Amino acid sequence: MSTQESRITLHTTIHIEGIDNESLSKDVLSKSDCRISDDPLQSHYEDTELPDTENTKDLILKIDSQVYDIDFNLERDKVWSHIIEPQQSTIPHDHEGDDGLSFVYYVTYPKQSGNIVFDFYMANKRIFQTIEPKVGMLIIFPTWIPHYTTRNISDEKRISISGNYFPQ
């Protein structure tokens, strides 16, 4: 990474304490048949409906708190879960809108199951920021930043939860 790139930080990374990720993983997997899109060429292909459980409610309240610390004028919009199977990845995409915040929270992260990569241009320079997730990690970033995940080369599923916040 160049010196220029290393000075640019357009995301916030936080570790969320007190979440039962093992139970949360089971909750998310219980909705694995509820895909948001059946088209494998769309970025929502690996997205599933977020189950309405005490675990998910607890997590979302903690994420709300972190987002509102950054900008209390935002309101939570959609939230969904991702289930990335071995050999899958997420295609490059952004989260429609240029005035909101997006997040991803890692419920599981088997070693080598894919990093998140922010890939965009700023001041005529291409910027790559790669983050290797950890279980319990929350990443908050502007909705306009294009990003993708690298291939899951582990033998296990990677599970995360994402969503958006927009001005009220």
Side-chain angles (χ1 to χ4, degrees):
M1 179 182 291
S2 75
T3 305
Q4 180 81 12
E5 292 174 26
S6 66
R7 287 184 270 149
I8 297 170
T9 303
L10 294 173
H11 66 274
T12 300
T13 304
I14 301 156
H15 182 81
I16 301 232
E17 299 288 336
I19 298 295
D20 182 349
N21 288 301
E22 189 173 316
S23 292
L24 187 56
S25 172
K26 290 176 186 172
D27 292 344
V28 168
L29 290 172
S30 76
K31 298 282 263 181
S32 63
D33 292 336
C34 300
R35 285 188 186 276
I36 293 175
S37 171
D38 290 324
D39 183 351
L41 300 176
Q42 298 297 318
S43 67
H44 290 296
Y45 178 72
E46 68 276 359
D47 299 342
T48 59
E49 292 177 16
L50 185 69
D52 185 20
T53 66
E54 290 306 312
N55 288 323
T56 58
K57 289 175 187 174
D58 185 32
L59 174 65
I60 297 306
L61 287 175
K62 290 180 180 193
I63 293 171
D64 283 349
S65 174
Q66 295 297 326
V67 170
Y68 299 148
D69 281 349
I70 295 169
D71 188 340
F72 63 88
N73 291 312
L74 297 178
E75 186 173 294
R76 183 176 359 102
D77 188 44
K78 297 176 182 156
V79 179
W80 59 93
S81 48
H82 305 275
I83 302 169
I84 306 295
E85 302 282 344
Q87 298 307 311
Q88 284 185 330
S89 60
T90 305
I91 64 173
H93 66 283
D94 62 31
H95 293 206
E96 302 171 11
D98 57 4
D99 55 355
L101 292 175
S102 295
F103 74 86
V104 58
Y105 173 83
Y106 290 89
V107 180
T108 66
Y109 184 77
K111 188 175 173 123
Q112 296 187 314
S113 63
N115 296 335
I116 186 168
V117 180
F118 297 104
D119 179 0
F120 58 97
Y121 287 89
M122 181 175 276
N124 294 320
K125 301 230 185 276
R126 188 165 185 188
I127 308 296
F128 287 95
Q129 289 187 339
T130 301
I131 300 172
E132 181 177 1
K134 294 178 177 45
V135 172
M137 178 184 281
L138 172 68
I139 304 170
I140 301 170
F141 55 95
T143 53
W144 60 264
I145 296 181
H147 55 285
Y148 59 91
T149 62
T150 57
R151 187 169 312 280
N152 176 356
I153 58 171
S154 78
D155 293 329
E156 301 173 54
K157 297 174 183 177
R158 182 183 75 235
I159 299 172
S160 59
I161 295 173
S162 293
N164 297 314
Y165 291 77
F166 293 103
Q168 300 178 22

